[in-house]
Amino acid sequence: MSVLERARELQPDLVRLRRSLHREPELGLRLPRTQEKVLAALDGLPLEITLGRELTSVTAVLRGGRPGGAVLLRGDMDALPVDELTGVEYASELPGRMHGCGHDLHTAGLVGAATLLADRRESLQGDVVFMFQPGEEGHNGAGAMIDEGVLGAAGKPLDAAFALHVSANRLPGGWVASRPGTGMTASDVLRVTVRGEGGHGSAPHHAKDPVPAVCEMVTALQNWVTRTFDIFDPVVVTVGRLHAGTQQNVIPDTAEFEATVRSYSEANHERLAAGLPRLVRGIAAAHGLDVEVEYEMLYPVTVNEPAATAFALDTARELFGPGEVWEAPQPASGSEDFSLVLNKVPGAMLLVGAAPEGVDVEKAPQNHSPRAVFDDRVLHRQAALLSELAEQRLAAGASA
């Protein structure tokens, strides 16, 4: 029986697990119900399991029956603080929480891969580390698991690391895409609070109004980006939160905003961290105002190692056929904390199309939308691909 045929047999169990996770989404680094469900799904498999100390992670190691190296497979497990509006019968039962980025599929797919590889354990030429990770959505879950030793869980250096990420749009269902080099952007947060002196709106000359300064900063961010960075190595700065005041005729003491900052190269990542705080401090000084600036570097650029990416795409072509595998011409604009793993271990992240059958992938709601729908039919394909990536990479390492 081929790995894809065996994966199809697992499909009903994977759907049940995925929908159970979807109904009870959890946020951040503490996912107790999710951890329980993962442990229950792994129960009976020949795995060495370690639980996280500061987060509810699950690290499972499968020892192959033959000597060899080690490969890591990762699936993230956390949800988003979003009210679900999909209308599916297995929708979130918890207000303000939704698996809007498909991490429930990642988790179920990784369980499927563990099951498939356990079936083949005796012929497996090395060990596989399964990294079930909380806190990908801005909580540095990968960094926390690295600090707790996930990269050393096999007791030997890792030869490669792979992860899949489903997409609710852009890719037809089941298609696989990746690219060598920069695969996803670095992600940072700029937080700014401008402090003045409040007063009556009719007499701004008797106050120190922070609002015009903040407005100038928001505009200046965009102008600075276009005049500082090469358009062929782009940078994106988007102010997503801005707040000042309580009433139209009151000059507030403070005004504040937060921006997400994305960059496609590590050089620009460093330039932004130095330049953006300097820019807003200069504007505040020109207005005679105090300013507090926090620049948080969240995740570095996700860099796919070229040889690992070529291997992963070739493996997908052999499994699914060349017509359903695509080398992306440009990086995705999102960010991933799997970048922290790829900074230390050669590997690749691949996208898997999970748009429902019959929808226009160019118009379908995207990841993070409250209306994003991911198709269960890709679960067995995820499991098969992850399994093949690990098994074939270990075999290649053993024969090298």
Side-chain angles (χ1 to χ4, degrees), residues 280-315:
V280 297
R281 289 190 180 105
I283 293 172
H287 284 261
L289 301 170
D290 295 326
V291 64
E292 296 175 7
V293 184
E294 179 185 352
Y295 194 92
E296 183 180 3
M297 299 179 80
L298 292 178
Y299 304 146
V301 177
T302 301
V303 179
N304 294 322
E305 197 270 330
T309 307
F311 160 77
L313 291 174
D314 285 344
T315 301

Side-chain angles (χ1 to χ4, degrees), residues 179 181-188 233-234 262-270 297-304 331-332 334-343:
R179 69 186 307 276
T182 298
M184 302 180 80
T185 66
S187 176
D188 302 332
D233 187 4
R262 310 286 171 138
S263 52
Y264 290 81
S265 68
E266 203 52 41
N268 281 353
H269 194 202
E270 298 291 338
M297 299 179 80
L298 292 178
Y299 304 146
V301 177
T302 301
V303 179
N304 294 322
S335 302
E336 251 290 344
D337 71 355
F338 190 62
S339 58
L340 299 170
V341 175
L342 295 180
N343 268 0

Side-chain angles (χ1 to χ4, degrees), residues 131-317:
M131 178 181 176
F132 291 91
Q133 179 208 311
E136 190 279 329
E137 295 289 353
H139 301 276
N140 193 34
M145 288 192 72
I146 290 171
D147 289 343
E148 292 196 356
V150 67
L151 302 185
K156 63 182 79 170
L158 292 168
D159 299 314
F162 299 101
L164 307 181
H165 203 303
V166 293
S167 178
N169 66 349
R170 296 168 48 209
L171 280 176
W175 279 42
V176 177
S178 189
R179 69 186 307 276
T182 298
M184 302 180 80
T185 66
S187 176
D188 302 332
V189 179
L190 173 68
R191 300 182 181 93
V192 177
T193 301
V194 178
R195 300 193 181 279
E197 294 178 8
H200 200 288
S202 66
H205 56 292
H206 291 309
K208 290 185 178 180
D209 191 348
V211 174
V214 162
C215 293
E216 186 176 332
M217 289 173 186
V218 171
T219 303
L221 295 178
Q222 306 305 322
N223 290 335
W224 182 75
V225 163
T226 64
R227 293 299 177 266
T228 305
F229 296 94
D230 188 335
I231 61 171
F232 297 106
D233 187 4
V235 163
V236 177
V237 180
T238 298
V239 176
R241 190 181 77 86
L242 190 153
H243 176 77
T246 57
Q247 187 166 301
Q248 45 83 24
N249 65 344
V250 176
I251 294 173
D253 275 341
T254 63
E256 58 188 38
F257 68 90
E258 294 184 358
T260 185
V261 183
R262 310 286 171 138
S263 52
Y264 290 81
S265 68
E266 203 52 41
N268 281 353
H269 194 202
E270 298 291 338
R271 292 178 71 193
L272 285 161
L276 288 174
R278 183 175 61 244
L279 176 68
V280 297
R281 289 190 180 105
I283 293 172
H287 284 261
L289 301 170
D290 295 326
V291 64
E292 296 175 7
V293 184
E294 179 185 352
Y295 194 92
E296 183 180 3
M297 299 179 80
L298 292 178
Y299 304 146
V301 177
T302 301
V303 179
N304 294 322
E305 197 270 330
T309 307
F311 160 77
L313 291 174
D314 285 344
T315 301
R317 291 185 187 101

Side-chain angles (χ1 to χ4, degrees), residues 40-166:
L42 298 176
D43 188 43
L45 299 180
L47 301 169
E48 300 170 9
I49 292 178
T50 304
L51 304 185
R53 298 184 299 275
E54 299 300 323
L55 69 170
T56 53
S57 60
V58 177
T59 300
V61 180
L62 177 68
R63 302 292 182 186
R66 300 167 65 183
V71 171
L72 180 143
L73 303 176
R74 183 272 228 161
D76 42 359
M77 306 190 293
D78 56 320
L80 290 162
V82 172
D83 284 309
E84 182 164 354
L85 300 175
T86 62
V88 297
E89 57 92 10
Y90 53 88
S92 171
E93 297 172 355
L94 303 175
R97 299 181 182 185
M98 176 193 176
H99 269 295
C101 202
H103 295 187
D104 49 339
L105 282 84
H106 302 168
T107 304
L110 189 56
V111 166
T115 305
L116 292 171
L117 288 165
D119 288 348
R120 298 165 179 253
R121 184 172 69 90
E122 292 306 320
S123 61
L124 199 63
Q125 295 174 275
D127 304 332
V128 183
V129 178
F130 302 95
M131 178 181 176
F132 291 91
Q133 179 208 311
E136 190 279 329
E137 295 289 353
H139 301 276
N140 193 34
M145 288 192 72
I146 290 171
D147 289 343
E148 292 196 356
V150 67
L151 302 185
K156 63 182 79 170
L158 292 168
D159 299 314
F162 299 101
L164 307 181
H165 203 303
V166 293

